[in-house]
């Protein structure tokens, strides 16, 4: 990737959601690095795809924002994404292999 100025000012246009329940609107940042940090680390993953980052008349889509954030030249420390889990996700519930499925011997009488 060519040299990129992460210190330039940037505007972030989050995508519009179908239900329009999101309160995220256009936001101006002092630097591209701060805008990328917000987009990648703080915005819901589902909103990144349709979002646009505008830097000095150039526009970057969600995939391009991700590439700029992942680049070695990115100047800020990465905090890591706080995953927005669905209400069906339960990380404390793990099922051992063969338990709880119709192929296990415990359920052989159901076949």
């Amino acid at each position: 990737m060519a040299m990129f100025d992460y210190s330039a000012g940037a505007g972030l246009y989050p995508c519009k959601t179908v239900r329009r329940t999101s309160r995220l609107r256009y936001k101006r940042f002092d630097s591209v690095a701060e805008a990328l940090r917000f987009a990648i680390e703080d915005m819901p993953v589902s909103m990144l795809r349709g979002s646009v980052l505008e830097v000095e008349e150039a526009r970057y889509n969600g995939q391009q924002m991700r590439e700029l954030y992942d680049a070695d030249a990115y100047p800020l420390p990465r905090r890591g994404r706080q995953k927005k889990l669905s209400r069906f996700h339960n990380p404390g519930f793990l099922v051992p292999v063969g338990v709880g499925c119709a192929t296990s011997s415990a359920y052989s009488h159901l076949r």
Side-chain angles (χ1 to χ4, degrees):
M1 184 174 286
M3 292 297 293
F4 186 82
D5 184 10
Y6 285 91
S7 64
L12 179 65
Y13 297 87
C15 80
K16 295 179 181 175
T17 60
V18 175
R19 296 182 185 166
R20 299 194 185 271
T21 56
S22 174
R23 295 183 183 192
L24 293 176
R25 302 283 183 253
Y26 170 80
K27 192 168 182 174
R28 184 79 185 150
F29 293 88
D30 291 334
S31 72
V32 175
E34 292 170 358
L36 290 170
R37 173 183 271 177
F38 177 79
I40 303 298
E41 297 178 3
D42 297 334
M43 271 185 10
V45 178
S46 60
M47 291 190 71
L48 185 61
R49 183 174 181 186
S51 297
V52 174
L53 180 69
E54 188 175 71
V55 183
E56 299 175 348
E57 305 299 319
R59 291 180 175 224
Y60 301 90
N61 64 27
Q63 181 179 355
Q64 292 167 322
M65 284 189 264
R66 184 75 217 190
E67 291 170 2
L68 289 169
Y69 177 82
D70 290 338
D72 292 335
Y74 180 75
L76 301 177
R78 294 171 180 89
R79 293 185 303 213
R81 176 180 286 283
Q82 295 296 322
K83 291 188 179 182
K84 308 279 187 200
L85 302 176
S86 74
R87 61 184 171 147
F88 302 109
H89 184 265
N90 183 355
F93 181 71
L94 299 175
V95 179
V97 175
V99 175
C101 64
T103 59
S104 73
S105 61
Y107 295 99
S108 61
H109 66 283
L110 297 176
R111 286 189 246 167

PDB file of all heavy atoms in Angstrom, residues 89-109:
ATOM      1  N   HIS A  89     -25.819 -15.990  21.492  1.00  0.00           N
ATOM      2  CA  HIS A  89     -24.462 -16.448  21.757  1.00  0.00           C
ATOM      3  C   HIS A  89     -24.250 -16.575  23.255  1.00  0.00           C
ATOM      4  O   HIS A  89     -24.507 -15.647  24.003  1.00  0.00           O
ATOM      5  CB  HIS A  89     -23.445 -15.477  21.168  1.00  0.00           C
ATOM      6  CG  HIS A  89     -22.039 -15.959  21.321  1.00  0.00           C
ATOM      7  ND1 HIS A  89     -21.255 -15.569  22.370  1.00  0.00           N
ATOM      8  CD2 HIS A  89     -21.304 -16.805  20.583  1.00  0.00           C
ATOM      9  CE1 HIS A  89     -20.076 -16.156  22.269  1.00  0.00           C
ATOM     10  NE2 HIS A  89     -20.084 -16.902  21.190  1.00  0.00           N
ATOM     11  N   ASN A  90     -23.789 -17.724  23.703  1.00  0.00           N
ATOM     12  CA  ASN A  90     -23.517 -17.956  25.107  1.00  0.00           C
ATOM     13  C   ASN A  90     -22.147 -18.604  25.217  1.00  0.00           C
ATOM     14  O   ASN A  90     -22.034 -19.814  25.093  1.00  0.00           O
ATOM     15  CB  ASN A  90     -24.599 -18.861  25.715  1.00  0.00           C
ATOM     16  CG  ASN A  90     -24.390 -19.073  27.209  1.00  0.00           C
ATOM     17  OD1 ASN A  90     -23.402 -18.625  27.778  1.00  0.00           O
ATOM     18  ND2 ASN A  90     -25.311 -19.764  27.836  1.00  0.00           N
ATOM     19  N   PRO A  91     -21.088 -17.818  25.443  1.00  0.00           N
ATOM     20  CA  PRO A  91     -19.736 -18.382  25.450  1.00  0.00           C
ATOM     21  C   PRO A  91     -19.488 -19.344  26.603  1.00  0.00           C
ATOM     22  O   PRO A  91     -18.554 -20.112  26.570  1.00  0.00           O
ATOM     23  CB  PRO A  91     -18.839 -17.151  25.558  1.00  0.00           C
ATOM     24  CG  PRO A  91     -19.693 -16.096  26.141  1.00  0.00           C
ATOM     25  CD  PRO A  91     -21.094 -16.391  25.684  1.00  0.00           C
ATOM     26  N   GLY A  92     -20.327 -19.345  27.630  1.00  0.00           N
ATOM     27  CA  GLY A  92     -20.131 -20.241  28.765  1.00  0.00           C
ATOM     28  C   GLY A  92     -20.727 -21.616  28.545  1.00  0.00           C
ATOM     29  O   GLY A  92     -20.588 -22.509  29.369  1.00  0.00           O
ATOM     30  N   PHE A  93     -21.414 -21.830  27.458  1.00  0.00           N
ATOM     31  CA  PHE A  93     -22.073 -23.097  27.198  1.00  0.00           C
ATOM     32  C   PHE A  93     -21.359 -23.830  26.084  1.00  0.00           C
ATOM     33  O   PHE A  93     -21.451 -23.467  24.924  1.00  0.00           O
ATOM     34  CB  PHE A  93     -23.542 -22.870  26.809  1.00  0.00           C
ATOM     35  CG  PHE A  93     -24.294 -24.139  26.558  1.00  0.00           C
ATOM     36  CD1 PHE A  93     -24.628 -24.971  27.612  1.00  0.00           C
ATOM     37  CD2 PHE A  93     -24.642 -24.505  25.278  1.00  0.00           C
ATOM     38  CE1 PHE A  93     -25.314 -26.151  27.378  1.00  0.00           C
ATOM     39  CE2 PHE A  93     -25.332 -25.682  25.039  1.00  0.00           C
ATOM     40  CZ  PHE A  93     -25.673 -26.505  26.098  1.00  0.00           C
ATOM     41  N   LEU A  94     -20.600 -24.830  26.440  1.00  0.00           N
ATOM     42  CA  LEU A  94     -19.880 -25.627  25.457  1.00  0.00           C
ATOM     43  C   LEU A  94     -20.384 -27.064  25.534  1.00  0.00           C
ATOM     44  O   LEU A  94     -20.583 -27.602  26.624  1.00  0.00           O
ATOM     45  CB  LEU A  94     -18.377 -25.603  25.730  1.00  0.00           C
ATOM     46  CG  LEU A  94     -17.729 -24.224  25.664  1.00  0.00           C
ATOM     47  CD1 LEU A  94     -16.268 -24.323  26.071  1.00  0.00           C
ATOM     48  CD2 LEU A  94     -17.846 -23.640  24.278  1.00  0.00           C
ATOM     49  N   VAL A  95     -20.592 -27.682  24.412  1.00  0.00           N
ATOM     50  CA  VAL A  95     -21.062 -29.058  24.366  1.00  0.00           C
ATOM     51  C   VAL A  95     -19.917 -29.944  23.921  1.00  0.00           C
ATOM     52  O   VAL A  95     -19.349 -29.732  22.851  1.00  0.00           O
ATOM     53  CB  VAL A  95     -22.237 -29.197  23.370  1.00  0.00           C
ATOM     54  CG1 VAL A  95     -22.701 -30.634  23.297  1.00  0.00           C
ATOM     55  CG2 VAL A  95     -23.361 -28.275  23.765  1.00  0.00           C
ATOM     56  N   PRO A  96     -19.535 -30.939  24.745  1.00  0.00           N
ATOM     57  CA  PRO A  96     -18.472 -31.853  24.324  1.00  0.00           C
ATOM     58  C   PRO A  96     -18.876 -32.602  23.056  1.00  0.00           C
ATOM     59  O   PRO A  96     -20.059 -32.813  22.796  1.00  0.00           O
ATOM     60  CB  PRO A  96     -18.340 -32.817  25.504  1.00  0.00           C
ATOM     61  CG  PRO A  96     -18.988 -32.124  26.653  1.00  0.00           C
ATOM     62  CD  PRO A  96     -20.018 -31.227  26.073  1.00  0.00           C
ATOM     63  N   VAL A  97     -17.892 -33.031  22.288  1.00  0.00           N
ATOM     64  CA  VAL A  97     -18.148 -33.753  21.043  1.00  0.00           C
ATOM     65  C   VAL A  97     -18.931 -35.020  21.352  1.00  0.00           C
ATOM     66  O   VAL A  97     -18.605 -35.760  22.262  1.00  0.00           O
ATOM     67  CB  VAL A  97     -16.819 -34.108  20.349  1.00  0.00           C
ATOM     68  CG1 VAL A  97     -17.062 -34.967  19.128  1.00  0.00           C
ATOM     69  CG2 VAL A  97     -16.065 -32.851  20.002  1.00  0.00           C
ATOM     70  N   GLY A  98     -19.982 -35.244  20.584  1.00  0.00           N
ATOM     71  CA  GLY A  98     -20.781 -36.458  20.742  1.00  0.00           C
ATOM     72  C   GLY A  98     -21.876 -36.350  21.787  1.00  0.00           C
ATOM     73  O   GLY A  98     -22.686 -37.234  21.929  1.00  0.00           O
ATOM     74  N   VAL A  99     -21.921 -35.280  22.539  1.00  0.00           N
ATOM     75  CA  VAL A  99     -22.948 -35.107  23.561  1.00  0.00           C
ATOM     76  C   VAL A  99     -23.963 -34.105  23.055  1.00  0.00           C
ATOM     77  O   VAL A  99     -23.607 -33.042  22.579  1.00  0.00           O
ATOM     78  CB  VAL A  99     -22.340 -34.608  24.893  1.00  0.00           C
ATOM     79  CG1 VAL A  99     -23.433 -34.328  25.911  1.00  0.00           C
ATOM     80  CG2 VAL A  99     -21.356 -35.621  25.415  1.00  0.00           C
ATOM     81  N   GLY A 100     -25.215 -34.451  23.179  1.00  0.00           N
ATOM     82  CA  GLY A 100     -26.267 -33.529  22.787  1.00  0.00           C
ATOM     83  C   GLY A 100     -26.612 -33.556  21.318  1.00  0.00           C
ATOM     84  O   GLY A 100     -27.372 -32.740  20.851  1.00  0.00           O
ATOM     85  N   CYS A 101     -26.088 -34.506  20.593  1.00  0.00           N
ATOM     86  CA  CYS A 101     -26.477 -34.603  19.190  1.00  0.00           C
ATOM     87  C   CYS A 101     -27.095 -35.969  18.938  1.00  0.00           C
ATOM     88  O   CYS A 101     -26.878 -36.913  19.684  1.00  0.00           O
ATOM     89  CB  CYS A 101     -25.286 -34.361  18.265  1.00  0.00           C
ATOM     90  SG  CYS A 101     -23.996 -35.580  18.420  1.00  0.00           S
ATOM     91  N   ALA A 102     -27.862 -36.066  17.906  1.00  0.00           N
ATOM     92  CA  ALA A 102     -28.616 -37.290  17.637  1.00  0.00           C
ATOM     93  C   ALA A 102     -27.729 -38.476  17.287  1.00  0.00           C
ATOM     94  O   ALA A 102     -28.187 -39.600  17.302  1.00  0.00           O
ATOM     95  CB  ALA A 102     -29.610 -37.042  16.504  1.00  0.00           C
ATOM     96  N   THR A 103     -26.472 -38.249  17.013  1.00  0.00           N
ATOM     97  CA  THR A 103     -25.597 -39.362  16.649  1.00  0.00           C
ATOM     98  C   THR A 103     -24.899 -39.974  17.869  1.00  0.00           C
ATOM     99  O   THR A 103     -24.280 -41.007  17.758  1.00  0.00           O
ATOM    100  CB  THR A 103     -24.513 -38.897  15.663  1.00  0.00           C
ATOM    101  OG1 THR A 103     -23.748 -37.864  16.265  1.00  0.00           O
ATOM    102  CG2 THR A 103     -25.145 -38.412  14.377  1.00  0.00           C
ATOM    103  N   SER A 104     -25.033 -39.371  19.039  1.00  0.00           N
ATOM    104  CA  SER A 104     -24.344 -39.924  20.208  1.00  0.00           C
ATOM    105  C   SER A 104     -25.077 -41.172  20.698  1.00  0.00           C
ATOM    106  O   SER A 104     -26.259 -41.378  20.447  1.00  0.00           O
ATOM    107  CB  SER A 104     -24.253 -38.886  21.321  1.00  0.00           C
ATOM    108  OG  SER A 104     -25.517 -38.695  21.915  1.00  0.00           O
ATOM    109  N   SER A 105     -24.389 -42.022  21.403  1.00  0.00           N
ATOM    110  CA  SER A 105     -24.975 -43.267  21.886  1.00  0.00           C
ATOM    111  C   SER A 105     -26.090 -43.017  22.894  1.00  0.00           C
ATOM    112  O   SER A 105     -26.983 -43.841  23.049  1.00  0.00           O
ATOM    113  CB  SER A 105     -23.882 -44.145  22.499  1.00  0.00           C
ATOM    114  OG  SER A 105     -23.291 -43.456  23.593  1.00  0.00           O
ATOM    115  N   ALA A 106     -26.073 -41.880  23.555  1.00  0.00           N
ATOM    116  CA  ALA A 106     -27.119 -41.559  24.527  1.00  0.00           C
ATOM    117  C   ALA A 106     -28.472 -41.403  23.858  1.00  0.00           C
ATOM    118  O   ALA A 106     -29.514 -41.555  24.484  1.00  0.00           O
ATOM    119  CB  ALA A 106     -26.763 -40.291  25.296  1.00  0.00           C
ATOM    120  N   TYR A 107     -28.470 -41.095  22.571  1.00  0.00           N
ATOM    121  CA  TYR A 107     -29.721 -40.861  21.846  1.00  0.00           C
ATOM    122  C   TYR A 107     -29.993 -41.949  20.793  1.00  0.00           C
ATOM    123  O   TYR A 107     -30.795 -41.766  19.906  1.00  0.00           O
ATOM    124  CB  TYR A 107     -29.688 -39.498  21.179  1.00  0.00           C
ATOM    125  CG  TYR A 107     -29.647 -38.370  22.184  1.00  0.00           C
ATOM    126  CD1 TYR A 107     -28.440 -37.752  22.504  1.00  0.00           C
ATOM    127  CD2 TYR A 107     -30.795 -37.936  22.817  1.00  0.00           C
ATOM    128  CE1 TYR A 107     -28.408 -36.723  23.425  1.00  0.00           C
ATOM    129  CE2 TYR A 107     -30.780 -36.926  23.746  1.00  0.00           C
ATOM    130  CZ  TYR A 107     -29.557 -36.325  24.044  1.00  0.00           C
ATOM    131  OH  TYR A 107     -29.530 -35.313  24.968  1.00  0.00           O
ATOM    132  N   SER A 108     -29.296 -43.059  20.903  1.00  0.00           N
ATOM    133  CA  SER A 108     -29.431 -44.106  19.893  1.00  0.00           C
ATOM    134  C   SER A 108     -30.840 -44.661  19.837  1.00  0.00           C
ATOM    135  O   SER A 108     -31.285 -45.127  18.787  1.00  0.00           O
ATOM    136  CB  SER A 108     -28.431 -45.230  20.146  1.00  0.00           C
ATOM    137  OG  SER A 108     -28.677 -45.803  21.426  1.00  0.00           O
ATOM    138  N   HIS A 109     -31.582 -44.614  20.938  1.00  0.00           N
ATOM    139  CA  HIS A 109     -32.945 -45.134  20.943  1.00  0.00           C
ATOM    140  C   HIS A 109     -33.911 -44.259  20.140  1.00  0.00           C
ATOM    141  O   HIS A 109     -35.007 -44.667  19.811  1.00  0.00           O
ATOM    142  CB  HIS A 109     -33.450 -45.278  22.384  1.00  0.00           C
ATOM    143  CG  HIS A 109     -33.598 -43.965  23.099  1.00  0.00           C
ATOM    144  ND1 HIS A 109     -32.521 -43.288  23.593  1.00  0.00           N
ATOM    145  CD2 HIS A 109     -34.699 -43.211  23.360  1.00  0.00           C
ATOM    146  CE1 HIS A 109     -32.938 -42.151  24.170  1.00  0.00           C
ATOM    147  NE2 HIS A 109     -34.269 -42.092  24.028  1.00  0.00           N
TER     148      HIS A 109
END
